[in-house]
Amino acid sequence: MKKLFIETLGCAMNMRDSEHMIAELNREESYELTHSLGEADLILINTCSVREKPVAKLFSEIGVFAKSKKEGAKIGVCGCTASHLGEEIIKRAPVVDFVLGARNVSKINEVIGKKHAVEISIEFDESAYAFADYRTNPFRSMVNISIGCDKQCTFCIVPATRGDEISIPSELIVQEIHKSVAQGAREVMLLGQNVNNYGRRFSASQESCDFTQLLQKISEIEGLERIRFTSPHPLHMDDRFLEEFASNRKICKQIHIPLQSGSSRVLQEMKRGYTKEWFLNRCAKVRALAPEAVISTDIIVGFPGESDADFEETMDVLEKVRFEQLFSFKYSPRPQTAAAEYSDQIDSEAASLRLARLQARHTEILDEIMDAQAGRVHSVFFDELKDNGRCAGRSDDGKLVFVEGSEELLGTIKRVRITKSSRSALDGVVLEG
Ligand code: SF4
């Protein structure tokens, strides 16, 4: 039995790619996971390139790996930074044994035996590849429904690291979910850069199927209780999709709608393809169809040329939509992106002030939302046992809930009355029946 140390940075798609690599490795040899660098036979770091910081962190991490690894152990750099730096990683850190790009995950067994192998092609198409099975959590599964992205958002490096968008055949997706349900999963998270753009292009001709139809197919799977998905794009939020979101009882009423900026002028500079008005219209539609739904979002502040007035538009959308979860960042110029060349870069201090103001106001909104949970009853799916003997789960709208309980709660959905709230989680008691 070999030992594998794997560190995953970045998004849910990277987490699923790491699961795929573990699964594929175990096709050829037996690996067990270890948290000890010193006992690992193979050390993998699955990287993220969405901002500069993770990239800078990579080379210091490699230094730590090199110092701690045992004789003969191998180091592999995978993911988005592998895709865009490629050979440069080997040049800067020859201790690295191989580099495997985010679109070449299925080649892990090929590169492991080749010293200084670099497999980073973003043309490589593994959309129809049936990966072996591995899941970090037996009660819920993450399933990719597409690879890559066809958009050209001017701040985003993803198209350069994950390539063009190709949808995964619907029968492969349904098969994978059936298998995971047969092994105990009750919830699935569908993953893609733009999930609601599903079905625009497959690598081989197949019966047409868009995202709404895919959701309908998946919700017919016996034993599957809950469906989540990330990320939909505001541009593809047609009424049919939102009506399915609202009326399909298996679809969790939590939706992530990346805004990025509240200013239509900045959205145009970002090439996001929609306006503030369209975004607000879609959020209002979600609220009209599913008043209980929780909306979360991504926001970038300090995008080149962003004026005080532009930023006020972002604050205005925050006030109007009152997002429950907010992922917000200062703009970070990325290689191979158009905006990195824009002349009117914003002063970092000014961007920090805007970010602080946005996050402070969001925290107030979040506190109001969480304080209002006391006494409410949520339907919670339990999927984790904590060391302190408490059981953790998520409500239908995505809130983290803890109760007193033990493993017989795992994999079940229970009604829970909320007794206490904090900014990040709720405490409650399980109601009988
Ligand atoms: S939609 Fe835009 S932000 Fe999202 S992955 Fe594609 S290019 Fe990046």
Side-chain angles (χ1 to χ4, degrees), residues 4 16 19 54 64 103 111 126 134 140 153 185 191 222 233 239 249 296 322 399 420:
L4 169 64
R16 186 59 182 147
E19 290 184 341
V64 174
R103 201 167 164 120
V111 294
E126 53 190 12
Y134 176 83
R140 53 186 162 80
C153 304
L191 301 174
E222 284 274 327
H233 194 291
D239 288 358
R249 74 164 186 79
S296 59
R322 292 175 61 80
K399 293 179 179 69
K420 199 165 122 253

Side-chain angles (χ1 to χ4, degrees), residues 52-68:
E52 184 48 30
K53 222 158 149 205
V55 177
K57 193 168 166 235
L58 170 62
F59 290 97
S60 61
E61 291 257 36
I62 292 171
V64 174
F65 295 164
K67 273 207 207 80
S68 323

